[in-house]
Amino acid sequence: MSKIILLNGAGSSGKTSIARAIQHLSNEQWLTFGVDTFIEMTPYPSPGKDAEYFAFVPGENNRGPLMRVESKPTGDKLFGVMADFALLLANQSNNLIIDEVLFDDQHLKSYVAKLAEHITYFIGVKCDLAIMQEREFLRRDRAVGLSNDQFYRVHSGTREYDLTVDTSNSSVFDVARKIIDFIDNNQNPKGFNNMRNKFYG
């Protein structure tokens, strides 16, 4: 039985940095992957060639620039196997940290169903929108407006977090320590079990 940390939060909320900090601080060994891992598998869009997996759709609202990621049918197939990939690794006795952006319950249900035999900690990662927007402007690998689009969507729907952390005013290492301490003191997280009962009765 493996341990799994599923981090869910908007882009630029700090999930990837938290995962790396946990790997550094924990006495246990952890593998990490996430939605960006799968995005990096796809062909880079080029002029005159339609994106086959997903598309960036720009916009704007009263909070500033907006950038929505719209997955296409081919992309749905690709991202739909993330829970299967997690299960494959976990079944080989690997502890995992998964960096996710869950917009609805569909992919969450897949994780909940397929990881039933493993110990999964569902962690909500939050951050002030203004801070995430600043991070987008400062980073060169992030589309400006993603956090604005994802800010509310990513935590809507059925979300029974075992722990919620906020990176607005805390260092990544402090947040990682909080998660590690929580895991050390909670051997039987309830979030996934509660959602499994809601989803499947």
Side-chain angles (χ1 to χ4, degrees), residues 65-67 133 136-137 142-147:
L66 197 71
M67 186 68 74
Q133 289 173 318
E136 286 179 342
F137 280 108
R142 188 70 56 181
V144 173
L146 285 175
S147 60

Side-chain angles (χ1 to χ4, degrees), residues 19 31 38 49 53 71-72 80 85 89 92 104-105 107 109 124 158 161 167 193:
L31 298 179
F38 279 68
K49 183 178 180 181
Y53 292 87
S71 180
K72 299 189 176 183
F85 184 66
L89 293 174
Q92 298 301 314
D104 52 42
D105 288 348
H107 288 150
K109 285 181 179 180
T158 304
Y161 293 122
T167 66
N193 287 335

Side-chain angles (χ1 to χ4, degrees), residues 184-196:
D184 289 343
N185 291 290
N186 294 272
Q187 302 301 314
N188 296 298
K190 303 298 183 185
F192 259 41
N193 287 335
N194 292 340
M195 290 187 294
R196 192 172 295 114

Side-chain angles (χ1 to χ4, degrees), residues 73-114:
T74 307
D76 291 339
K77 291 179 183 178
L78 173 64
F79 300 115
V81 304
M82 288 183 65
D84 299 276
F85 184 66
L87 180 61
L88 178 65
L89 293 174
N91 283 346
Q92 298 301 314
S93 301
N94 294 294
N95 293 330
L96 305 176
I97 307 170
I98 305 170
D99 173 349
E100 259 286 17
V101 183
L102 297 168
F103 292 131
D104 52 42
D105 288 348
Q106 178 183 350
H107 288 150
L108 177 58
K109 285 181 179 180
S110 184
Y111 282 113
V112 167
K114 292 174 181 176

Side-chain angles (χ1 to χ4, degrees), residues 26-188:
S26 178
N27 292 324
E28 299 183 89
Q29 296 293 311
W30 299 87
L31 298 179
T32 182
F33 76 94
V35 64
D36 285 348
T37 309
F38 279 68
I39 288 174
E40 289 171 3
M41 294 180 188
T42 65
Y44 191 80
S46 58
K49 183 178 180 181
D50 291 336
E52 295 184 13
Y53 292 87
F54 59 89
F56 289 105
V57 181
E60 190 170 348
N61 61 17
N62 59 356
R63 299 188 299 268
L66 197 71
M67 186 68 74
R68 180 177 290 257
V69 180
E70 292 189 354
S71 180
K72 299 189 176 183
T74 307
D76 291 339
K77 291 179 183 178
L78 173 64
F79 300 115
V81 304
M82 288 183 65
D84 299 276
F85 184 66
L87 180 61
L88 178 65
L89 293 174
N91 283 346
Q92 298 301 314
S93 301
N94 294 294
N95 293 330
L96 305 176
I97 307 170
I98 305 170
D99 173 349
E100 259 286 17
V101 183
L102 297 168
F103 292 131
D104 52 42
D105 288 348
Q106 178 183 350
H107 288 150
L108 177 58
K109 285 181 179 180
S110 184
Y111 282 113
V112 167
K114 292 174 181 176
L115 302 181
E117 301 302 317
H118 299 283
I119 302 171
T120 304
Y121 295 86
F122 191 32
I123 312 293
V125 181
K126 298 187 177 182
C127 183
D128 289 343
L129 177 58
I131 293 175
M132 289 192 289
Q133 289 173 318
E134 289 176 1
R135 291 173 182 172
E136 286 179 342
F137 280 108
L138 293 173
R139 295 173 61 172
R140 296 181 180 270
D141 63 344
R142 188 70 56 181
V144 173
L146 285 175
S147 60
N148 188 4
D149 174 66
Q150 299 170 2
F151 185 65
Y152 292 109
R153 296 171 64 207
V154 74
H155 297 297
S156 65
T158 304
R159 301 287 186 272
E160 292 211 21
Y161 293 122
D162 297 296
L163 178 68
T164 300
V165 296
D166 194 312
T167 66
S168 303
N169 299 301
S170 300
S171 76
V172 170
F173 277 83
D174 286 342
V175 171
R177 289 188 186 96
K178 183 176 181 179
I179 294 172
I180 292 169
D181 288 344
F182 181 84
I183 291 171
D184 289 343
N185 291 290
N186 294 272
Q187 302 301 314
N188 296 298

